[in-house]
Amino acid sequence: MGLLDGAKNLIGDVVAAADRAFEETGSGKLALALAKFYPGGLAAFLDRLRETGHGAAVDSWLSPGTRQPVPASALAACLPEAVTERLAYDLGVPDARVPTVLAEFLPAAVADQSENGSLRPQPNFSTQVR
């Protein structure tokens, strides 16, 4: 095995460990991280997704039933770079993995934070990035 193969394996192991750590903390951590760092919190992020054409998916997360996906690239386009960096640090994943983590875990996080088709009141933090 060459040096490049070893580096690829190490990177893969780090990414897998980060994913496992995130899965263990649950979707509540993701909702809290967005509340802390996205201007306006989770509700504002969902509004941004609606504005960019993903309203049906967001609505599916708030209601019982099948949750529609939003591509990681669409989520990345809605995140300012500074927010991505802070989310990465807070969630314990590399910056480049934040959109993928959001695509995978945000639907469940929103479902956990919703009731009767609406998002429950969310905390507001002074650490939100502007």
Side-chain angles (χ1 to χ4, degrees):
M1 172 162 58
L3 183 59
L4 186 56
D5 290 331
K8 285 181 185 178
N9 288 339
L10 179 60
I11 291 169
D13 291 346
V14 169
V15 168
D19 284 349
R20 280 191 306 277
F22 184 75
E23 286 174 10
E24 291 169 6
T25 64
S27 59
K29 183 168 183 165
L30 179 57
L32 186 60
L34 280 166
K36 287 193 299 189
F37 301 120
Y38 192 83
L42 179 58
F45 187 68
L46 297 180
D47 288 343
R48 180 71 180 128
L49 288 173
R50 286 183 181 105
E51 291 168 5
T52 59
H54 300 284
V58 170
D59 291 343
S60 77
W61 303 345
L62 294 167
S63 304
T66 304
R67 297 181 193 128
Q68 297 176 19
V70 172
S73 58
L75 294 163
C78 294
L79 289 172
E81 184 177 338
V83 172
T84 300
E85 291 169 359
R86 295 214 174 143
L87 286 172
Y89 179 80
D90 198 60
L91 299 172
V93 298
D95 291 9
R97 294 272 305 144
V98 168
T100 303
V101 166
L102 289 176
E104 189 172 340
F105 296 103
L106 187 59
V110 171
D112 288 346
Q113 297 296 314
S114 66
E115 189 173 324
N116 299 323
S118 297
L119 195 62
R120 283 191 226 112
Q122 299 291 302
N124 188 9
F125 293 90
S126 62
T127 56
Q128 292 175 344
V129 178
R130 304 223 180 261

